[in-house]
Amino acid sequence: MTMRTNDLFRMALHDIRINGSRSVLTTLGIIIGVGAVVLMTGVGRSMEGVILGQINTLGPRTIALWPGKGPEGGASIGSDYQAVTMRDVEALRQLRSVTDVAPMILLNDPATYGREESEASVVGSPPAYYEGVSLEVTAGRFHDESDEQGVRTVAVIGSDIARDLFFGRDPVGERIGIGDRKYTVIGVLKSVGSQFFQNQDTRIIIPFSVARTIEQRDYVDMVTMRATGDIDAGVADVEYLLRKRHSIVSPSDEPAKNDDFLVRTAQQAQDILGTVSLALTLFITMVASISLMVGGIGIMNIMLVSVTERTREIGLRKALGATGRDILLQFLVEAVVVTVFGAFIGLLLGVLLDVLIVLIARSFLAAYIFALNPYAIVAALATAIGVGLVFGIYPARKASRLDPIEALRYE
Amino acid sequence: MTAPAPLIQLQDLQKSYFNDGMETPVLHDVNLTIDKGEFVAIMGPSGSGKSTLMHILGFLDRPTEGKYVFRGRPTEKMDQDTLARIRATSVSFVFQAFNLLPRTSVLENVTLPLLYHPSIPASERKKRALRAIETVGLTDRATYLSHQLSGGQKQRVAIARSLVTEPDVIFADEPTGNLDSRSGMQVMEALQALNDDGRTIILVTHEATTAEHASRIITIHDGRITGDKRDFRRRVAKDGAALK
């Protein structure tokens, strides 16, 4: 080989420049492939951040308990929604491994203020609930034990309810309607966005004693609590207690098979998120690989056209003293350089689109922040360069093997 | 004291093409000696084998049989890379169709052979290319792109490109074939001037009037040399515009 490396690169840049639009077409597949990877993994990261943030607002020690069956099997939800009773809650309060045991009764009534109406999920729960799920108020206060004792019709409302009913005015002290009762607003919750696709800002929290008086029932819809020490020990105690109280016997290899309740922790939610996120990453990787492969075939096709179009040039170069290896390297370097160009354009486009999505998403999801997946970017760039090399070889070999006389005669 | 070896020596050279096992002979028993500094025209009708002969002489093709000794060295056993190296350093070509790189400047076109030259350093390329461009009188066109030039100018760029490596021999294959008579005259004037400077030029043409600009005319018919004359009145190309 007589050519110098910088000659090869300069030549490649020159050829790419004088064939501007064709160069872009050559690398379109790579641009789209890399752009898609950057964008999709970036959005994935941002979403993961949002969901993780929400899980973490639950607190690492929060344990949630629902009546009904879990994914492991057991009875169906319909038949067992009355499974967890106030007597179970009292028994749970006796456990040393958990604290802030807060039963919950859910009401499905819209909230009204004057002529305004807003969809709401009304939660009747004792003050311990606020501790269990780490809530904060931006105005007013939480309800307390005296509100519970007095069965006072007071309400702590979510930020979306405050916005929909009061349009920015201070709701504290105002009276809203829920069902056929009126409640005094005593606090507004800080926005936390969605948790598991359910908007948490449309929540209204009323004293548990009030909800129980309305519903007149002994079973609850959910119980939250916090582990005092090791969370797994807390979960084990809760499960043991409830199985004993509900006389549940399951095969030893499937201890939860016959459970009529479900216990979940933030850690488990994180684990599920991790699994979902891994599956998503694998899916994106697969789609991206196919896209880059298609991009590579595009490069090969257009490089083959380019070799045919430049047959005379190849003949000339050989006549001027280029070896087959010189020609091979020239076309290979050109394929790789055009791919790298495409990869960086794709990277830029992906980042720009990601920024755009962040700007849009932030308007309704405050916790959405810009994120990129550096591993995915490096992998996409490396794959793109590899694709350029692999798919550049065939056209480059074809070029290097042209007979100079035939090539010079080519019309 | 022995006389210096001739530049080119062909001995019983044969060339055949093979297609599906069918042999098509193109050159028969060619014996030829060309010395340094000659201006030789190889003349013959199309299909006579003159282009094949030029391709063999220029190391673009190999003979089927016979000997080709270049500067005293036999070439039959040289591998492809060695032949490429000889093309890069010792021979150069001017083609009928100019074969300039499109959308590329005159300077870059003339620099092109230096990319493949094993011993000329990159730092000297521009200087050499500008000197070659000056020789053909196109200094003021050095930054022009190849498609902005007239046919005659393109061929002079091609001549500058053939000079830039200072080869032992320049092959010109119908260099005036695509040009009007005045541009053709300028190109012949340039080639004669180069020969006057001591360069060896081998011109391939089917036109007697073009061939007569050389100092020796070898005629070829059906793959055999049928004539080799030196004692004729050489035409002198004079246009005045070609060279400074």
Side-chain angles (χ1 to χ4, degrees):
Chain A
M1 191 191 80
T2 57
M3 287 198 71
R4 297 155 182 89
T5 315
N6 59 342
D7 287 335
L8 283 168
F9 280 99
R10 207 155 13 137
M11 220 148 69
L13 291 177
H14 174 81
D15 290 330
I16 289 165
R17 204 185 56 229
I18 65 174
N19 294 308
S21 58
R22 191 174 66 194
S23 302
V24 172
L25 281 178
T26 309
T27 192
L28 200 58
I30 300 292
I31 294 178
I32 293 171
V34 172
V37 173
V38 171
L39 179 65
M40 279 153 64
T41 55
V43 169
R45 268 251 158 142
S46 298
M47 284 310 295
E48 211 179 302
V50 169
I51 296 171
L52 264 180
Q54 288 166 356
I55 289 172
N56 289 336
T57 61
L58 284 176
R61 291 175 169 228
T62 303
I63 298 170
L65 163 69
W66 292 269
K69 71 161 194 167
E72 293 88 353
S76 71
I77 288 173
S79 64
D80 287 303
Y81 73 105
Q82 301 184 10
V84 179
T85 63
M86 277 314 289
R87 282 187 303 283
D88 291 327
V89 172
E90 286 311 321
L92 286 168
R93 282 184 172 139
Q94 304 308 312
L95 287 174
R96 284 202 202 135
S97 53
V98 294
T99 182
D100 293 326
V101 177
M104 222 189 266
I105 288 176
L106 305 178
L107 309 174
N108 266 319
D109 287 315
T112 55
Y113 174 75
R115 279 189 216 151
E116 305 299 334
E117 186 177 304
S118 178
E119 283 299 322
S121 2
V122 182
V123 177
S125 200
Y129 174 73
Y130 302 113
E131 300 296 326
V133 296
S134 317
L135 289 175
E136 288 175 49
V137 284
T138 52
R141 61 172 181 90
F142 294 133
H143 76 274
D144 55 21
E145 277 308 322
S146 68
D147 296 319
E148 285 288 349
Q149 300 296 327
V151 199
R152 286 188 199 131
T153 47
V154 292
V156 178
I157 63 176
S159 53
D160 282 3
I161 303 283
R163 189 194 60 206
D164 291 350
L165 295 185
F166 297 97
F167 307 102
R169 275 172 291 134
D170 181 12
V172 176
E174 302 292 334
R175 285 178 69 78
I176 59 171
I178 302 168
D180 48 14
R181 287 169 196 240
K182 292 277 181 195
Y183 295 77
T184 306
V185 176
I186 57 166
V188 178
L189 292 170
K190 187 179 166 187
S191 171
V192 289
S194 295
Q195 282 174 1
F196 302 107
F197 309 107
Q198 200 177 356
N199 187 351
Q200 300 295 316
D201 294 333
T202 56
R203 243 184 316 202
I204 295 177
I205 299 158
I206 60 172
F208 183 70
S209 55
V210 176
R212 238 188 133 189
T213 315
I214 296 167
E215 289 280 302
Q216 296 289 335
R217 58 168 146 114
D218 197 39
Y219 62 89
V220 299
D221 297 313
M222 187 181 171
V223 182
T224 60
M225 64 207 97
R226 272 192 315 139
T228 49
D230 179 38
I231 187 157
D232 292 332
V235 170
D237 280 358
V238 170
E239 285 177 344
Y240 178 79
L241 179 79
L242 286 171
R243 282 177 195 145
K244 203 170 102 186
R245 291 182 56 81
H246 295 186
S247 311
I248 292 166
V249 181
S250 289
S252 60
D253 56 333
E254 284 178 89
K257 188 172 167 54
N258 296 328
D259 284 359
D260 57 2
F261 61 89
L262 190 63
V263 179
R264 282 282 176 265
T265 64
Q267 184 56 49
Q268 285 169 323
Q270 276 188 27
D271 292 346
I272 292 167
L273 177 67
T275 312
V276 171
S277 150
L278 181 70
L280 256 177
T281 306
L282 288 177
F283 174 72
I284 290 169
T285 308
M286 211 177 69
V287 171
S289 305
I290 293 168
S291 151
L292 286 174
M293 191 74 82
V294 173
I297 292 167
I299 287 179
M300 185 165 70
N301 286 340
I302 300 195
M303 287 300 288
L304 281 173
V305 171
S306 169
V307 167
T308 307
E309 266 183 21
R310 291 161 68 183
T311 299
R312 280 174 79 103
E313 176 194 328
I314 294 162
L316 171 74
R317 286 178 184 273
K318 285 200 158 176
L320 296 180
T323 61
R325 207 179 136 83
D326 287 330
I327 302 293
L328 179 91
L329 282 173
Q330 178 189 342
F331 279 87
L332 205 52
V333 167
E334 194 171 319
V336 171
V337 169
V338 90
T339 313
V340 170
F341 259 116
F344 278 97
I345 293 172
L347 171 62
L348 206 71
L349 274 181
V351 171
L352 280 178
L353 282 176
D354 201 1
V355 168
L356 204 70
I357 286 178
V358 170
L359 292 179
I360 295 167
R362 281 188 81 95
S363 64
F364 56 85
L365 205 55
Y368 194 100
I369 52 162
F370 178 74
L372 290 173
N373 188 335
Y375 302 109
I377 290 173
V378 170
L381 293 183
T383 309
I385 294 165
V387 159
L389 256 178
V390 169
F391 288 95
I393 282 176
Y394 176 61
R397 275 174 80 93
K398 203 176 161 197
S400 73
R401 288 178 175 178
L402 286 176
D403 174 52
I405 300 169
E406 300 273 321
L408 281 166
R409 276 199 201 120
Y410 184 84
E411 292 294 336
Chain B
M1 217 177 104
T2 51
L7 184 66
I8 287 169
Q9 246 181 319
L10 300 184
Q11 232 179 332
D12 302 327
L13 191 107
Q14 313 260 359
K15 177 67 184 179
S16 298
Y17 289 114
F18 295 90
N19 245 333
D20 299 330
M22 281 270 290
E23 183 180 355
T24 314
V26 185
L27 294 173
H28 312 270
D29 303 318
V30 175
N31 288 287
L32 182 63
T33 301
I34 296 172
D35 287 315
K36 193 172 182 306
E38 284 197 80
F39 190 160
V40 181
I42 298 174
M43 192 176 77
S46 66
S48 59
K50 61 184 190 303
S51 288
T52 302
L53 180 58
M54 187 202 82
H55 291 147
I56 291 171
L57 291 174
F59 303 97
L60 290 170
D61 206 350
R62 288 166 178 272
T64 315
E65 263 174 67
K67 277 188 176 174
Y68 175 13
V69 180
F70 184 73
R71 295 205 307 186
R73 286 165 65 203
T75 61
E76 301 86 59
K77 293 197 174 120
M78 290 177 176
D79 62 12
Q80 286 296 336
D81 281 358
T82 310
L83 295 180
R85 201 181 167 89
I86 292 180
R87 291 198 298 269
T89 56
S90 303
V91 303
S92 67
F93 299 89
V94 175
F95 300 99
Q96 178 173 0
F98 324 129
N99 284 338
L100 301 183
L101 294 185
R103 281 169 288 175
T104 302
S105 75
V106 167
L107 180 63
E108 284 172 294
N109 265 293
V110 175
T111 311
L112 190 63
L114 297 175
L115 295 182
Y116 302 108
H117 199 286
S119 57
I120 295 173
S123 54
E124 258 194 56
R125 287 179 191 162
K126 194 175 175 185
K127 197 176 73 188
R128 282 179 180 252
L130 286 173
R131 203 192 306 147
I133 292 167
E134 193 186 352
T135 309
V136 297
L138 287 173
T139 301
D140 56 341
R141 297 282 193 278
T143 57
Y144 280 43
L145 299 181
S146 50
H147 62 267
Q148 295 170 318
L149 303 175
S150 69
Q153 288 170 332
K154 281 181 186 168
Q155 199 57 299
R156 277 149 65 198
V157 173
I159 291 171
R161 183 179 64 195
S162 74
L163 286 175
V164 75
T165 54
E166 304 197 340
D168 294 310
V169 52
I170 296 171
F171 293 93
D173 187 4
E174 304 276 9
T176 59
N178 281 12
L179 299 176
D180 61 71
S181 59
R182 180 155 182 245
S183 301
M185 187 73 82
Q186 290 175 356
V187 165
M188 290 319 296
E189 192 183 348
L191 290 176
Q192 281 188 334
L194 293 174
N195 179 242
D196 291 345
D197 279 352
R199 285 173 210 282
T200 311
I201 291 168
I202 298 175
L203 169 74
V204 172
T205 183
H206 67 279
E207 279 178 80
T209 48
T210 308
E212 283 163 5
H213 289 90
S215 48
R216 176 181 174 192
I217 301 178
I218 293 165
T219 35
I220 185 164
H221 269 99
D222 295 334
R224 289 176 209 277
I225 290 179
T226 53
D228 186 349
K229 63 174 179 176
R230 298 165 193 263
D231 50 346
F232 59 93
R233 236 184 97 146
R234 185 185 184 190
R235 272 178 195 267
V236 177
K238 202 112 193 109
D239 182 76
L243 295 176
K244 285 178 183 169

